[in-house]
């Protein structure tokens, strides 16, 4: 399972990158067989007043799963 972390509107630190990867592996390792890749997109929006996290899970022989959360 490959994990990509992409950011927009701020700098990705090594600590944030490693934290995201560690949490995803912990949550998804037991389901790893059909998962080809996970793309994490983090962005700062509205002048830094809100944050958005989008997860795209790419599965073998199945449509991608897309999850999104925006918070102030």
């Amino acid at each position: 399972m490959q994990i990509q972390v992409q950011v927009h509107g701020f700098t990705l630190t090594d600590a944030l990158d490693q934290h995201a990867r560690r949490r995803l592996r912990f949550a998804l390792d037991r389901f790893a067989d059909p998962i080809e890749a996970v793309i994490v997109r983090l962005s700062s929006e509205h002048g830094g007043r809100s944050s958005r996290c989008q997860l795209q899970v790419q599965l073998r022989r199945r449509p991608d799963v897309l999850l999104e959360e925006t918070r102030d």
Side-chain angles (χ1 to χ4, degrees):
M1 174 174 56
Q2 295 179 353
I3 298 174
Q4 296 178 26
V5 180
Q6 303 171 353
V7 297
H8 180 72
F10 64 96
T11 302
L12 178 64
T13 63
D14 286 337
L16 180 57
D17 183 58
Q18 293 304 315
H19 177 73
R21 291 172 188 276
R22 185 173 47 251
R23 294 294 304 261
L24 284 167
R25 289 199 188 283
F26 179 77
L28 299 176
D29 265 352
R30 61 186 165 159
F31 307 109
D33 285 341
I35 299 174
E36 290 183 353
V38 178
I39 302 169
V40 182
R41 294 179 184 96
L42 303 170
S43 61
S44 176
E45 298 181 343
H46 303 107
R49 290 179 291 164
S50 61
S51 300
R52 183 172 140 243
C53 177
Q54 183 185 67
L55 296 178
Q56 179 180 355
V57 181
Q58 298 174 339
L59 302 169
R60 289 181 185 86
R61 296 181 297 274
R62 294 191 178 113
D64 291 2
V65 176
L66 189 63
L67 305 159
E68 187 172 329
E69 178 80 23
T70 303
R71 298 257 173 122
D72 290 333

